[in-house]
Amino acid sequence: MTVSNALADEAQVIKDTNEALQDIQETLAFSLVDSLKDGDHITTPTVINMLKDLEDMQLKYYDRLEDNENTQGALENQEQSGDEETAE
């Protein structure tokens, strides 16, 4: 159960981190709009690159979350198999 609890904790941290990244993306998107309106051609590419980097980070977190869920499922299946063998 310790591994399962650790995986559940990690899943929650990943979800919280993704929510924070989404908030940052939203702020950067507004900044991008403002820089485009102002004709600021120096800031615009920087903000676009930051948005791309954030998206890459989020994709990595989603991949990690999927791995986490797969591991949890495998552990649950293993526990069920062990319970069935014990019942026999």
Side-chain angles (χ1 to χ4, degrees):
M1 286 304 243
T2 305
V3 173
S4 183
N5 290 342
L7 289 170
D9 290 344
E10 182 186 34
Q12 188 57 49
V13 168
I14 291 170
K15 289 175 185 175
D16 292 344
T17 302
N18 269 333
E19 287 178 18
L21 289 173
Q22 287 173 346
D23 291 343
I24 294 168
Q25 268 185 317
E26 184 176 318
T27 301
L28 283 173
F30 286 129
S31 175
L32 178 61
V33 169
D34 290 342
S35 68
L36 288 170
K37 283 182 184 176
D38 294 340
D40 184 352
H41 301 294
I42 295 171
T43 304
T44 300
T46 303
V47 174
I48 290 171
N49 288 335
M50 291 171 75
L51 285 167
K52 288 178 184 177
D53 290 344
L54 280 171
E55 184 177 13
D56 290 343
M57 287 174 61
Q58 283 182 300
L59 291 173
K60 287 178 186 175
Y61 278 115
Y62 285 127
D63 288 345
R64 180 63 190 135
L65 185 59
E66 185 178 347
D67 291 345
N68 182 306
E69 290 170 351
N70 290 338
T71 303
Q72 282 182 320
L75 285 173
E76 289 171 6
N77 289 340
Q78 190 176 24
E79 286 177 13
Q80 287 176 353
S81 295
D83 290 346
E84 289 173 4
E85 288 177 11
T86 304
E88 293 176 1

